[in-house]
Amino acid sequence: MACEHSIKFFSLKKSERFAFKKRDAAFLPTRERFPRGSLIPVFVFYSDFFPELVQSALSKCVDVIKKCPHVFMLVPSTMAPAGKRKDDIAFEGRGSDVAASHFSFSTIVRTLDAVKFKLHSPGRKKDLSPVERELWSCVEPILDRFRTFCSSLIKESIDFDTIEDEATIKNAIRGSRPWCFSVSEGKVVAKFYYVPDAGLIIREYPGLYDALPLATLPRRLSISMGSRPCLSELLSYLKTLAGKIQNSKFDRLLKAPTNVFLHDFDGIASLWVELRVYVFCKTL
């Protein structure tokens, strides 16, 4: 089955999706809501940590669709005028008649995105269809597992938003406790966490009730950081967020060349991070 291959990001403009009502061809939530409202980064990032769980959830979704007596295979329209985007119907029939090649990761997750939007849209009053409810029941347990996973990592984190002392911030960066700060992303404020023991970056969106946390390996955000970045590499990446960070003291620290003080600790810090990550992974 195609969704058993390595999971990676995909093009929304080329991806198929399943629907269970013909009028859903004009229902396109994903493009407007990516990435905060989409399951795409959630499944891509978490497949790095729990590949078996992710594949199991996707396989269950495939089984649900195959049992469905009437499905539509939708593909992005190439003829729709600007402002009136929709999907074209490429197949209509029983789920069991859909070719195995169409059950790809991109197709399944794009389908789930539509279900998630219907479920959480504040203005929507219609219930999910039986097949959509069954699909969501396959996914919801694994999403709860992800929420719990992220929450457990950021306990007792040091919040830079409440600190104005530069020395305290520097000590926290070099320590073993998770630390975090707020970043403005347009009209949305995200909470950016770094977890030294796990070597992970976590982003949360407290202002969005339906947004899921994202736990990310640093190399997913920047290949220059690798799997276990040293402190100078991490700060070099964080400098790209300068100007968006709400804590003015931390923002100035990143903009200024004074962060070279961390280079003196990189050799020891990198070995210490590797040891902490090894011990942490053994406890999962």
Side-chain angles (χ1 to χ4, degrees), residues 97-116:
D97 292 335
V98 178
S101 59
H102 291 296
F103 290 102
S104 64
F105 167 70
S106 58
T107 302
I108 299 302
V109 177
R110 192 162 180 248
T111 302
L112 293 174
D113 262 358
V115 175
K116 179 178 183 291

Side-chain angles (χ1 to χ4, degrees), residues 68-97:
C68 188
H70 197 176
V71 301
F72 297 90
M73 170 65 72
L74 306 179
V75 297
S77 175
T78 58
M79 302 298 292
K84 295 184 179 180
R85 291 178 288 104
K86 66 175 186 177
D87 286 341
D88 293 330
I89 298 175
F91 170 85
E92 179 181 355
R94 295 180 301 179
S96 57
D97 292 335

Side-chain angles (χ1 to χ4, degrees), residues 13-218:
K13 296 181 179 180
K14 299 179 181 179
S15 300
E16 303 168 328
R17 67 183 172 104
F18 292 105
F20 311 98
K21 296 177 181 178
K22 188 174 183 179
R23 64 174 177 267
D24 277 356
F27 184 75
L28 295 172
T30 305
R31 203 166 289 137
E32 287 80 3
R33 297 170 61 77
F34 183 83
R36 291 184 297 270
S38 174
L39 295 174
I40 296 169
V42 174
F43 277 102
V44 171
F45 291 149
Y46 291 145
S47 67
D48 291 335
F49 319 124
F50 306 117
E52 295 83 5
L53 290 176
V54 170
Q55 295 294 351
S56 175
L58 296 177
S59 296
K60 290 177 181 178
C61 291
V62 170
D63 293 338
V64 170
I65 295 171
K66 284 184 176 180
K67 292 186 297 184
C68 188
H70 197 176
V71 301
F72 297 90
M73 170 65 72
L74 306 179
V75 297
S77 175
T78 58
M79 302 298 292
K84 295 184 179 180
R85 291 178 288 104
K86 66 175 186 177
D87 286 341
D88 293 330
I89 298 175
F91 170 85
E92 179 181 355
R94 295 180 301 179
S96 57
D97 292 335
V98 178
S101 59
H102 291 296
F103 290 102
S104 64
F105 167 70
S106 58
T107 302
I108 299 302
V109 177
R110 192 162 180 248
T111 302
L112 293 174
D113 262 358
V115 175
K116 179 178 183 291
F117 182 82
K118 289 181 180 181
L119 182 65
H120 293 293
S121 180
R124 187 178 179 85
K125 298 180 180 180
K126 296 180 180 178
D127 293 333
L128 297 178
S129 66
V131 64
E132 288 171 336
R133 287 198 300 270
E134 193 172 356
L135 283 173
W136 193 249
S137 70
C138 297
V139 175
E140 195 168 29
I142 196 171
L143 298 183
D144 289 340
R145 171 77 178 269
F146 295 155
R147 292 188 187 95
T148 302
F149 173 69
C150 290
S151 297
S152 66
L153 292 176
I154 60 178
K155 285 182 179 178
E156 300 180 356
S157 58
I158 301 172
D159 192 346
F160 289 175
D161 293 349
T162 62
I163 299 175
E164 288 297 328
D165 178 60
E166 185 175 299
T168 302
I169 293 176
K170 289 179 179 179
N171 289 333
I173 291 174
R174 290 177 289 185
S176 60
R177 284 178 59 184
W179 43 270
C180 66
F181 55 91
S182 294
V183 181
S184 298
E185 296 185 359
K187 297 180 180 180
V188 176
V189 176
K191 204 73 172 182
F192 189 108
Y193 295 82
Y194 182 63
V195 187
D197 282 347
L200 298 180
I201 289 170
I202 296 177
R203 283 168 293 170
E204 287 194 324
Y205 298 90
L208 300 179
Y209 70 95
D210 64 334
L212 290 157
L214 298 176
T216 317
L217 290 172

